[in-house]
Amino acid sequence: MTGSELVKLFEQGGKRCLVIGDCEYGVIAGLDLEGRLYAVMGGQVMNRVNPAAVTGITTRHGYLNPGGDGLWPAPEGTAMGYQYASGSWRVPPGLTGARFLMVEEAPGRAVIEAEIDLINAQGLGIPTIFRRDVTVTAGEGTLTVKVIESIRYLGVRELGRSEMLLAPWSLCQFDCGPGGKVVFPADNAEVWDLYDPSDECRRLQDGMIHTRTDSSCRYQIGIGKTVPWIEFHRPADHLIVRRSASLLPPGQSYIDIADASPSTAPSGNGTRYSVYSDTGGFMEIEAAGGCPAVLAPGQELSVEVTTEYKQG
């Protein structure tokens, strides 16, 4: 799909979008679609696009996954997660129904934000502002998208970890197929499974983990804090995408982001990056920020995520 075709699809669906840069080298932000970001390089959209999500509406009867690059609250599951407030898995309606506004704009840069009320699995309501500060830099056959991902707490009282966990979490989605993989510098001690075992899908070679994302198996792995970057390879169009996330500020730590039952407590595994592989022909490379011991009124939790695209 071309960038221009995606803009027309948003128009067809009656949803607002914002072009940062241009439709040749830039980012298309779905202001009425969870604030999702779609990278465009050489006129072609690099991320997965689900047309049904662009033209349709998510309801309680089914979630239309938009693809692109989204900002979600972590954790997904466990007793502190935001996808199980109603008992069964669902993306928070506060997020799917959010209307992002452009609050700052400059050449190659835009800031979008939306008020989103979260409810965790404990039934605690957490009012927030989601903010995405996006900067796009284009080169010869390359595109760099730098996003400061922020969640600001609007509540009036302090919240400790016995009541909540909260961290900004960026999920970048791609179509995938034969030969697809993610590589990163690590050993097996820095990797763990969030679903079923993924041992058959990954291997360690010369100090690098290679994990298959060819749509042959469903798994999700968590990756620890010492890993500097993760990189997706898609042989079909020679695409390479590297993601790196800033280190945490003092007073914050990585948390368990797992999609685990709301009856279970979060584990001690702190996730900086994650790889999700789905049998439906798509995958995600993810990056997470941290959570403080106590969340104070007005506090903003941020992580800077850099995504570098190149073909060759």
Side-chain angles (χ1 to χ4, degrees):
M1 178 178 291
T2 68
S4 297
E5 288 171 341
L6 180 55
V7 170
K8 290 179 181 177
L9 192 64
F10 272 101
E11 293 173 353
Q12 178 185 335
K15 292 185 174 73
R16 296 171 304 132
C17 70
L18 174 68
V19 179
I20 307 167
D22 56 44
C23 286
E24 285 295 311
Y25 284 87
V27 165
I28 298 170
L31 300 177
D32 295 331
L33 196 63
E34 300 181 19
R36 295 270 176 149
L37 308 177
Y38 299 86
V40 184
M41 186 168 65
Q44 297 295 313
V45 179
M46 297 290 101
N47 302 101
R48 177 177 183 260
V49 178
N50 179 5
V54 181
T55 58
I57 298 174
T58 285
T59 70
R60 63 187 178 89
H61 301 294
Y63 176 58
L64 299 176
N65 191 325
D69 176 349
L71 171 59
W72 274 16
E76 183 169 359
T78 76
M80 297 297 177
Y82 297 97
Q83 258 74 345
Y84 290 91
S86 62
S88 57
W89 188 92
R90 67 169 184 170
V91 179
L95 178 56
T96 61
R99 298 295 176 259
F100 279 77
L101 300 175
M102 189 271 291
V103 294
E104 292 183 38
E105 188 176 29
R109 177 177 176 260
V111 181
I112 63 174
E113 63 178 34
E115 290 192 55
I116 297 174
D117 289 343
L118 302 172
I119 303 173
N120 70 11
Q122 300 296 302
L124 177 67
I126 303 174
T128 70
I129 290 178
F130 279 36
R131 181 181 176 97
R132 313 193 76 183
D133 185 338
V134 185
T135 301
V136 178
T137 305
E140 186 64 35
T142 66
L143 183 76
T144 300
V145 182
K146 185 175 293 185
V147 185
I148 302 174
E149 308 278 26
S150 303
I151 299 177
R152 179 153 57 95
Y153 173 49
L154 298 179
V156 296
R157 69 179 182 90
E158 293 185 341
L159 300 176
R161 288 198 171 197
S162 63
E163 296 179 280
M164 71 85 221
L165 290 175
L166 180 62
W169 176 26
S170 172
L171 307 87
C172 198
Q173 196 171 112
F174 298 91
D175 294 317
C176 63
K181 65 179 180 178
V182 173
V183 300
F184 51 92
D187 58 32
N188 289 320
E190 286 285 354
V191 179
W192 57 91
D193 289 300
L194 302 182
Y195 293 134
D196 295 330
S198 64
D199 303 68
E200 294 184 359
C201 296
R202 57 184 169 89
R203 59 185 171 85
L204 175 62
Q205 180 179 339
D206 299 327
M208 301 285 286
I209 296 286
H210 298 246
T211 186
R212 284 170 24 217
T213 55
D214 56 5
S215 200
S216 64
C217 50
R218 180 178 182 267
Y219 67 86
Q220 186 175 12
I221 56 174
I223 303 169
K225 63 183 180 180
T226 65
V227 175
W229 49 263
I230 59 177
E231 191 173 84
F232 171 55
H233 293 235
R234 187 169 67 188
D237 58 354
H238 308 287
L239 177 66
I240 298 176
V241 185
R242 177 177 289 197
R243 298 206 100 188
S244 55
S246 60
L247 294 172
L248 300 184
Q252 294 186 19
S253 59
Y254 294 106
I255 62 173
D256 179 11
I257 69 170
D259 179 14
S261 166
S263 64
T264 63
S267 75
N269 291 328
T271 302
R272 183 180 184 184
Y273 300 105
S274 179
V275 178
Y276 174 68
S277 176
D278 194 276
T279 54
F282 72 92
M283 58 79 64
E284 293 174 348
I285 45 177
E286 308 172 358
C291 180
V294 176
L295 184 63
Q299 186 169 3
E300 187 168 87
L301 309 177
S302 298
V303 61
E304 183 174 286
V305 180
T306 301
T307 309
E308 301 169 89
Y309 297 81
K310 65 179 180 180
Q311 287 178 302

